Amino acid sequence: MAGLFDPLTVRGVTLRNRIGVSPMCQYSSTDGHPSDWHLVHLGSRAAGGAGLVMTEATAVTPDGRISPADAGIWADAHVAPWARVAEFVKARGAVPGMQLAHSGRKGSTREPWLRSSRPLAVPPAEGGWSPVGPGPEPFDPASPTPEALTPDGITDILEAFRRAAGRAAWAGFEWLEVHAAHGYLLHQFLSPLTNRRHDGYGGGFDGRTRLTVEVVRAVRAAWPDRLPLAVRVPCEDWTPGGWAVDDAVELARRLAAEGADLIDCSSGHVVPNVTYPVAPGWQVPLAEAVRRGAGVPVAAVGAITDPHQAEAIVRDGRADLVLLAREMLRDPYWPLHAARVLGRPDAESWPDQYGYAVRPAHREKS
Ligand SMILES: Cc1cc2nc3c(=O)[nH]c(=O)nc-3n(C[C@H](O)[C@H](O)[C@H](O)COP(=O)(O)O)c2cc1C
C-alpha cells in the first residue's frame, strides 16, 4: 500500500504526495475576481509542501456565489488573476486545483464574520440577489427565499459549469472538482430532504441524481482528457429520510462512468439543526465505504490533523488522498512538519529561501 508521501498519479497528473489543501472559502473577492489574498494564501500552502492545493468553492455564475465576496470563474476576466495563482502554486511543486460550485438556495448570504452583527440574507441594495434552488423553500427562516429552477434555468447552469471548466483549464489549473456536497445546489437536488420536484430532475434516485450526472458530463467534455476530474459528494445527510452512504456509493459508480476520476467524500449541511458526530477522522469510514463499494479512488476529509493519523488512512487503503482544511489554516507548513514527524527527510521540500531556518548546515551563516 502507498504511504502519505508516495506520489499519486491520476490521468496525466502526478501529486508529489497524498496531502491536499481542502477547498476553503476566503470571502476575499470583488465581483468574483481572486485577489492578492488568494495568491498569498494558496501560494503559502504550496510552499508548505502540499501535493494538491485547491481553490475555494469558485462560482460558475454570479448567483452561484454564497456571499458577494466569493470567488468566481463565470467571466473571462477571472482567468488572468487565477492564472497568476495557478502559476505560483505550480512553481512551488504543487498541483493547482479548482473547485467549481453553485450555491443554489444558500446564495446571497453574508460573510461568516459579519453574520453575528448583520442579518444573514444580503438584500439586493447591498449586492445580494434572488437565489435559485430545486424548489421555493429557503434553507432556514433567516436565509433568502429561492426561486425554483425552471428547465431553461437548468440548461443555463449546465452551460455555466461547462464554460467554467474551460476557463479553469485556460487559467492553468490541472485538477478540477465539482462541488456536489454541503447543501449547495447539486446536493439540494440529490437529497430527498430538499428535492420535492415532480419533473425529470426530482422523484426517485435517477431524477435526483440527474443534475449532478449531467453537470459532470458537461464538465468532463470541456476539461482536457489528460487532467483529473474529482467530485465532492455528500455521503450522509445525518438526518432520517436523507441521503445516505449507499446513495453515495451508487452515485460514485455513475460518476465514474461519466469520467470522474476521484470521489471526495464529505457530508452534511443540507438542512439546518443537525448534530454531527465530529471526532478525529469522523468521515473516513464514509470514504472507505465509497472506495470499497464503488471501486473508485477517493479523498477523505474531516478532522484529519495528525501525521500518523493521515499516514494510516492512506497506508491502510481507506483513502487515496487526504484533504486537510482547518489544520492547514493553523499550519501552512503541515506537510513539511509531517514529513519530519514521519521520518521522511526526502519529502522535506522547504523553499531554499527558508534553508537557514531548517537546514543545520546553514544555521550559523550570516
Ligand atoms: C473557512 C472554511 C471554508 C470552507 N469552504 C469550503 C469550500 O469552499 N468548499 C468546500 O467544499 N468545503 C469548504 N469547507 C469545508 C472543508 O473543505 C472541509 O471539508 C471541512 O472543514 C472539514 O475538514 P477539517 O476538519 O480539516 O476542517 C470550508 C471549511 C472552512 C473551515
Short mmCIF file of all heavy atoms in Angstrom, two decimals, residues 22-25 56-57 99 179 182 232 266 301-303 324-326, ligand 1:
data_model
loop_
_atom_site.label_atom_id
_atom_site.label_comp_id
_atom_site.label_asym_id
_atom_site.label_seq_id
_atom_site.Cartn_x
_atom_site.Cartn_y
_atom_site.Cartn_z
N SER A 22 -7.83 21.27 1.39
CA SER A 22 -9.26 21.17 1.09
C SER A 22 -9.80 22.55 0.69
O SER A 22 -9.31 23.57 1.17
CB SER A 22 -9.97 20.67 2.35
OG SER A 22 -11.24 20.15 2.04
N PRO A 23 -10.80 22.59 -0.19
CA PRO A 23 -11.35 23.89 -0.59
C PRO A 23 -11.86 24.68 0.62
O PRO A 23 -12.56 24.12 1.46
CB PRO A 23 -12.51 23.52 -1.51
CG PRO A 23 -12.23 22.13 -1.96
CD PRO A 23 -11.48 21.48 -0.85
N MET A 24 -11.50 25.95 0.67
CA MET A 24 -11.97 26.80 1.78
C MET A 24 -12.28 28.20 1.30
O MET A 24 -11.38 28.94 0.86
CB MET A 24 -10.91 26.87 2.89
CG MET A 24 -10.92 25.67 3.79
SD MET A 24 -9.69 25.79 5.11
CE MET A 24 -8.19 25.36 4.26
N CYS A 25 -13.55 28.60 1.41
CA CYS A 25 -13.97 29.95 1.04
C CYS A 25 -13.15 30.98 1.81
O CYS A 25 -12.97 30.84 3.02
CB CYS A 25 -15.44 30.16 1.38
SG CYS A 25 -16.55 29.27 0.31
N GLU A 56 -11.02 27.68 -3.23
CA GLU A 56 -12.32 27.64 -2.58
C GLU A 56 -13.41 27.31 -3.61
O GLU A 56 -13.15 27.29 -4.82
CB GLU A 56 -12.61 29.00 -1.98
CG GLU A 56 -12.76 30.10 -3.04
CD GLU A 56 -12.58 31.49 -2.42
OE1 GLU A 56 -11.41 31.88 -2.21
OE2 GLU A 56 -13.58 32.16 -2.15
N ALA A 57 -14.64 27.13 -3.12
CA ALA A 57 -15.80 26.99 -3.98
C ALA A 57 -15.82 28.20 -4.91
O ALA A 57 -15.96 29.34 -4.46
CB ALA A 57 -17.07 26.94 -3.15
N GLN A 99 -12.14 24.23 -7.42
CA GLN A 99 -13.45 23.65 -7.11
C GLN A 99 -14.53 24.51 -7.75
O GLN A 99 -14.63 25.71 -7.46
CB GLN A 99 -13.68 23.58 -5.60
CG GLN A 99 -14.96 22.80 -5.27
CD GLN A 99 -15.32 22.82 -3.79
OE1 GLN A 99 -15.40 23.88 -3.19
NE2 GLN A 99 -15.54 21.66 -3.21
N HIS A 179 -18.32 20.61 -6.98
CA HIS A 179 -18.84 20.60 -5.61
C HIS A 179 -20.30 20.16 -5.62
O HIS A 179 -21.18 20.93 -6.02
CB HIS A 179 -18.71 21.99 -5.00
CG HIS A 179 -18.85 22.05 -3.51
ND1 HIS A 179 -19.23 20.96 -2.75
CD2 HIS A 179 -18.65 23.07 -2.63
CE1 HIS A 179 -19.25 21.32 -1.47
NE2 HIS A 179 -18.90 22.59 -1.37
N HIS A 182 -22.36 19.59 0.79
CA HIS A 182 -22.51 20.70 1.75
C HIS A 182 -23.78 21.52 1.56
O HIS A 182 -23.82 22.71 1.90
CB HIS A 182 -21.27 21.62 1.71
CG HIS A 182 -20.02 20.89 2.09
ND1 HIS A 182 -18.78 21.45 2.03
CD2 HIS A 182 -19.83 19.62 2.53
CE1 HIS A 182 -17.87 20.56 2.41
NE2 HIS A 182 -18.49 19.44 2.71
N ARG A 232 -16.85 16.33 -5.28
CA ARG A 232 -17.10 16.28 -3.82
C ARG A 232 -18.54 15.88 -3.62
O ARG A 232 -19.47 16.61 -4.01
CB ARG A 232 -16.77 17.61 -3.15
CG ARG A 232 -17.06 17.60 -1.66
CD ARG A 232 -16.38 18.70 -0.87
NE ARG A 232 -15.08 18.24 -0.38
CZ ARG A 232 -14.36 18.85 0.56
NH1 ARG A 232 -14.79 19.97 1.09
NH2 ARG A 232 -13.19 18.37 0.95
N SER A 266 -17.50 13.83 1.54
CA SER A 266 -17.85 14.71 2.65
C SER A 266 -19.28 14.41 3.07
O SER A 266 -19.86 13.40 2.65
CB SER A 266 -17.67 16.17 2.23
OG SER A 266 -17.71 17.00 3.36
N VAL A 301 -11.79 13.51 4.14
CA VAL A 301 -11.67 14.85 4.73
C VAL A 301 -12.42 14.86 6.06
O VAL A 301 -13.37 14.12 6.25
CB VAL A 301 -12.22 15.93 3.76
CG1 VAL A 301 -13.73 15.80 3.57
CG2 VAL A 301 -11.85 17.33 4.23
N GLY A 302 -11.98 15.73 6.96
CA GLY A 302 -12.71 15.92 8.22
C GLY A 302 -11.89 15.54 9.42
O GLY A 302 -11.64 14.35 9.67
N ALA A 303 -11.44 16.57 10.16
CA ALA A 303 -10.69 16.36 11.41
C ALA A 303 -9.51 15.42 11.22
O ALA A 303 -9.27 14.53 12.02
CB ALA A 303 -11.63 15.88 12.52
N LEU A 324 -6.94 18.30 4.06
CA LEU A 324 -6.97 18.99 5.35
C LEU A 324 -7.48 20.41 5.13
O LEU A 324 -7.04 21.08 4.19
CB LEU A 324 -5.57 19.06 5.98
CG LEU A 324 -5.03 17.79 6.66
CD1 LEU A 324 -4.70 16.70 5.66
CD2 LEU A 324 -3.78 18.14 7.47
N ALA A 325 -8.37 20.84 6.00
CA ALA A 325 -8.91 22.20 5.87
C ALA A 325 -8.38 23.06 7.02
O ALA A 325 -7.35 23.71 6.92
CB ALA A 325 -10.42 22.17 5.80
N ARG A 326 -9.06 23.00 8.18
CA ARG A 326 -8.68 23.93 9.26
C ARG A 326 -7.25 23.75 9.74
O ARG A 326 -6.59 24.74 10.10
CB ARG A 326 -9.69 23.81 10.40
CG ARG A 326 -11.03 24.45 10.02
CD ARG A 326 -12.13 24.02 10.94
NE ARG A 326 -12.40 22.60 10.78
CZ ARG A 326 -13.30 21.93 11.49
NH1 ARG A 326 -13.97 22.54 12.43
NH2 ARG A 326 -13.52 20.65 11.27
C1 LIG B 1 -13.09 28.50 6.38
C2 LIG B 1 -13.65 27.31 5.68
C3 LIG B 1 -14.17 27.42 4.40
C4 LIG B 1 -14.65 26.31 3.72
N1 LIG B 1 -15.05 26.42 2.42
C5 LIG B 1 -15.32 25.31 1.69
C6 LIG B 1 -15.50 25.38 0.28
O1 LIG B 1 -15.36 26.44 -0.33
N2 LIG B 1 -15.77 24.24 -0.37
C7 LIG B 1 -15.88 23.02 0.27
O2 LIG B 1 -16.13 22.01 -0.37
N3 LIG B 1 -15.70 22.93 1.60
C8 LIG B 1 -15.39 24.04 2.30
N4 LIG B 1 -15.10 23.92 3.64
C9 LIG B 1 -15.10 22.60 4.26
C10 LIG B 1 -13.68 21.99 4.24
O3 LIG B 1 -13.18 21.85 2.92
C11 LIG B 1 -13.64 20.64 4.95
O4 LIG B 1 -14.44 19.73 4.23
C12 LIG B 1 -14.13 20.73 6.40
O5 LIG B 1 -13.66 21.90 7.05
C13 LIG B 1 -13.68 19.51 7.20
O6 LIG B 1 -12.26 19.44 7.21
P1 LIG B 1 -11.38 19.90 8.50
O7 LIG B 1 -11.93 19.12 9.67
O8 LIG B 1 -9.98 19.50 8.12
O9 LIG B 1 -11.55 21.36 8.68
C14 LIG B 1 -14.66 25.04 4.35
C15 LIG B 1 -14.18 24.93 5.67
C16 LIG B 1 -13.67 26.04 6.33
C17 LIG B 1 -13.11 25.85 7.71
#
